[in-house]
Amino acid sequence: QVQLMESGGGSVQAGGSLRLSCAASGYTYSTYCMGWFRQAPGKERERVATLSPGSARADYADSVKGRFTISRDNPRNTLYLQMNNLKPEDTGMYYCARGGTLWLACSSGSAYNYYGPGTQVTVSS
């Protein structure tokens, strides 16, 4: 059974940093695309960043490029999202998600069909 559990959310002021973690279990983690998604109140969920199984390819939403970094530790079945220079518009629930096994399709949001319960990130101005 696929299980994803996020941690590391919290409340910070604009310009601050947070590091999110996602612990994965129930499948062969190292062979799947992984990603971070977020949903702000009243808005649809959006793709933040995705990463191929071997970390060769990372893709980011334009709104977070240069500020966020996605990474993974395959031996530890863990996904990370380092978020720097946070802005109030980054506020939302952040979800870890599992995609497919084709690395060329990792950047497609539609490929992600397993999500964790989420961790809240709140950025105040």
Side-chain angles (χ1 to χ4, degrees):
Q1 182 180 0
V2 176
Q3 292 190 330
L4 302 169
M5 182 59 65
E6 304 90 343
S7 61
S11 297
V12 297
Q13 290 191 328
S17 298
L18 284 173
R19 188 193 194 202
L20 305 184
S21 298
C22 171
S25 62
Y27 66 102
T28 306
Y29 175 78
S30 63
T31 64
Y32 284 83
C33 306
M34 293 297 296
W36 288 97
F37 293 72
R38 69 184 180 189
Q39 187 168 19
K43 295 187 177 181
E44 293 188 355
R45 185 164 55 193
E46 63 173 348
R47 180 183 64 90
V48 175
T50 59
L51 189 61
S52 60
S55 299
R57 177 172 175 167
D59 291 279
Y60 298 90
D62 289 342
S63 59
V64 307
K65 282 181 181 177
R67 300 188 297 121
F68 290 12
T69 302
I70 187 172
S71 62
R72 62 193 295 166
D73 185 337
N74 283 348
R76 296 188 176 187
N77 290 3
T78 304
L79 182 73
Y80 302 100
L81 185 67
Q82 178 66 44
M83 305 186 295
N84 297 329
N85 190 21
L86 282 159
K87 303 177 179 180
E89 51 264 42
D90 294 319
T91 294
M93 187 70 77
Y94 282 69
Y95 301 92
C96 168
R98 192 194 83 169
T101 57
L102 298 175
W103 69 271
L104 286 175
C106 286
S107 61
S108 173
S110 62
Y112 292 78
N113 50 11
Y114 286 96
Y115 291 82
T119 186
Q120 178 68 36
V121 172
T122 303
V123 185
S124 58
S125 58

